[in-house]
Amino acid sequence: SGNSSKTDTTAIDDGSRNDLSPTERKKLILDSRLTQIERGHIIDLTFGIITISLSQRCYTNNLYPLITFISYNVNLEWEEMPERTRGTGEMKRGSRYKTTLKAVSVLLFLLQKNPPVPHLIESLNEIFENGNGAAAWMLCCIVNSNDDSIRALGIKSLTAYLHAVMSSNQTSTPDPSIHLSS
């Protein structure tokens, strides 16, 4: 006997409503896209969650996606860059660049964190098979970046990694099976 009220779903509609023309559906989808500020906010939140998660304990299976993300994006920037701008410190400043910069910043934060992040150095060494591999990746991938900001973070990351390795070697007890000869 009463009128049922209809809920307005246009704010969350994905454009799949059958009562819309294809043009109206396309406009609805385009209008519902995130703005650049909203995308930036989501990226910041995501990397904040990643940072909090990894700063508690950094196991290999949790660190590996961050390392892969950095490697993939830095490599992709090199591949997409015209030959004439390579090595000039110029890089396109799009969303991928910003997320790569944030990912490298997270890695630097983890390496500089004091007290050290549990299992971070061990996880890096496991991912790259040894400490030389981790240092070589930082040097070849991040420090060799075409972008000056990423390169600077890479140099700081490499320095922090080497400092962390040296500090852990000084505080660990010597293995009696290893004999250093003079």
Side-chain angles (χ1 to χ4, degrees):
S1 35
N3 290 347
S4 62
S5 62
K6 223 176 172 181
T7 306
D8 182 18
T9 60
T10 55
I12 56 170
D13 195 342
D14 64 357
S16 62
R17 290 181 23 201
N18 291 331
D19 61 330
L20 296 175
S21 72
T23 306
E24 290 172 321
R25 217 174 302 146
K26 184 176 180 182
K27 182 177 180 338
L28 184 62
I29 290 170
L30 290 175
D31 289 345
S32 65
R33 285 187 180 169
L34 296 174
T35 66
Q36 188 172 358
I37 293 171
E38 292 168 329
R39 280 192 306 268
H41 184 68
I42 289 172
I43 291 167
D44 289 344
L45 286 174
T46 303
F47 278 109
I49 292 167
I50 291 169
T51 303
I52 290 169
S53 173
L54 291 178
S55 65
Q56 303 301 313
R57 265 183 244 84
C58 197
Y59 293 116
T60 304
N61 60 339
N62 298 334
L63 181 62
Y64 187 76
L66 180 67
I67 299 299
T68 304
F69 181 84
I70 293 169
S71 298
Y72 175 78
N73 282 306
V74 170
N75 187 46
L76 203 56
E77 291 292 345
W78 271 103
E79 289 177 7
E80 291 180 350
M81 188 173 305
E83 282 290 326
R84 68 186 187 317
T85 60
R86 288 188 182 171
T88 61
E90 299 172 17
M91 188 178 269
K92 192 166 65 172
R93 304 288 183 190
S95 293
R96 186 181 322 121
Y97 166 75
K98 292 174 186 172
T99 55
T100 304
L101 192 63
K102 289 177 192 288
V104 176
S105 298
V106 168
L107 179 64
L108 175 60
F109 169 78
L110 294 172
L111 288 166
Q112 289 182 332
K113 190 171 180 302
N114 201 0
V117 175
H119 309 289
L120 174 63
I121 300 302
E122 295 85 0
S123 294
L124 279 169
N125 292 343
E126 187 175 325
I127 290 170
F128 295 104
E129 297 183 10
N130 62 42
N132 292 337
W137 172 79
M138 287 180 204
L139 187 61
C140 293
C141 181
I142 306 173
V143 175
N144 194 37
S145 170
N146 190 56
D147 181 71
D148 292 335
S149 298
I150 292 176
R151 183 180 304 122
L153 289 172
I155 292 168
K156 290 177 182 179
S157 296
L158 179 60
T159 303
Y161 172 76
L162 294 174
H163 179 67
V165 168
M166 296 299 284
S167 297
S168 68
N169 286 344
Q170 292 173 354
T171 60
S172 64
T173 56
D175 184 350
S177 65
I178 300 175
H179 300 286
L180 299 175
S181 40
S182 45

